[in-house]
Amino acid sequence: MKLVVISAGLSLPSSSRLLADRLTDTTRRQLTADGHDVDVHVVELRDLAADIAHVMVAGFPGPELSDVLEAVEEADGVIAVSPVFAASYSGLFKSFVDVLDNTTLAGKPVLLAATGGTARHSLALEHALRPLFAYLRATVVPTAVYAASEDWDTAGGSADALADSVALAGRELAALMGARPATTESVEQQLPALTGPCGQEASG
């Protein structure tokens, strides 16, 4: 199975990448335990920032970005992690989503996660990220994961809560991926042929 992990962290290293790695490990372990082979492709958007800006202006992606777009298209599941700025996802994250074809994520299991300085930014998951991916018709896992700065303190109780959320979200994503046939076909190719040419209903 193909799992694509998108991290929109800007620093190196970044808390977004750290959270993405934890979610990836949990999901991969669960899929492996369920008898699936897992191929993980990690995408650091900071390395593609210039290419993303170029395609938004010029209208066509370069080779590296094309490979990433193809990987997302062929993925059986996606983990998407963004830092929170001004109560929403980052501009780089949204720009990458804008580059995707409107049908790329349709029906595809997606785990959403975000990082921020304080817990009060966690609302961005439900008020910004989830509506965005609902619009794209992705199958978003019930548990979204947010990590504030204090959640990385291993001596505090918040670290345990983060670990629990990561474990639950990873299991949910693995379950959705496992219930979905591994395929590189688009969502339109997977749907039954219910209509004929020009949108007419297919005759029985």
Side-chain angles (χ1 to χ4, degrees):
M1 306 200 81
K2 298 179 180 179
L3 174 63
V4 171
V5 183
I6 300 167
S7 171
L10 300 180
S11 58
L12 189 64
S14 70
S15 58
S16 293
R17 176 59 188 271
L18 180 58
L19 181 56
D21 287 345
R22 290 194 180 187
L23 292 166
T24 301
D25 289 343
T26 299
T27 305
R28 177 164 42 195
R29 284 198 303 270
Q30 186 62 55
L31 285 169
T32 300
D34 293 340
H36 300 289
D37 294 327
V38 187
D39 179 19
V40 177
H41 184 168
V42 179
V43 179
E44 284 277 11
L45 294 187
R46 66 186 300 276
D47 298 332
L48 297 169
D51 289 343
I52 293 170
H54 175 78
V55 72
M56 296 188 74
V57 174
F60 57 90
E64 187 175 1
L65 182 55
S66 292
D67 290 343
V68 169
L69 297 177
E70 182 179 356
V72 176
E73 175 74 32
E74 296 179 353
D76 297 294
V78 174
I79 295 173
V81 187
S82 174
V84 175
F85 298 122
S88 187
Y89 35 69
S90 71
L92 177 60
F93 183 87
K94 181 56 164 60
S95 295
F96 175 74
V97 172
D98 288 343
V99 170
L100 295 173
D101 186 87
N102 286 338
T103 63
T104 295
L105 296 176
K108 198 181 300 290
V110 176
L111 193 168
L112 299 177
T115 59
T118 64
R120 66 191 180 95
H121 293 301
S122 62
L123 291 175
L125 282 168
E126 302 303 326
H127 292 279
L129 279 137
R130 196 176 291 274
L132 173 63
F133 283 82
Y135 171 79
L136 295 170
R137 293 176 291 157
T139 302
V140 181
V141 305
T143 301
V145 180
Y146 179 82
S149 297
E150 61 266 23
D151 294 331
W152 302 110
D153 183 3
T154 57
S158 58
D160 294 335
L162 175 60
D164 291 343
S165 295
V166 167
L168 177 58
R171 290 195 300 269
E172 291 173 349
L173 178 60
L176 287 174
M177 291 176 63
R180 184 175 187 267
T183 179
T184 58
E185 293 181 338
S186 67
V187 66
E188 286 82 2
Q189 291 173 305
Q190 296 177 45
L191 295 173
L194 298 179
T195 58
C198 300
Q200 299 175 352
E201 291 187 359
S203 62

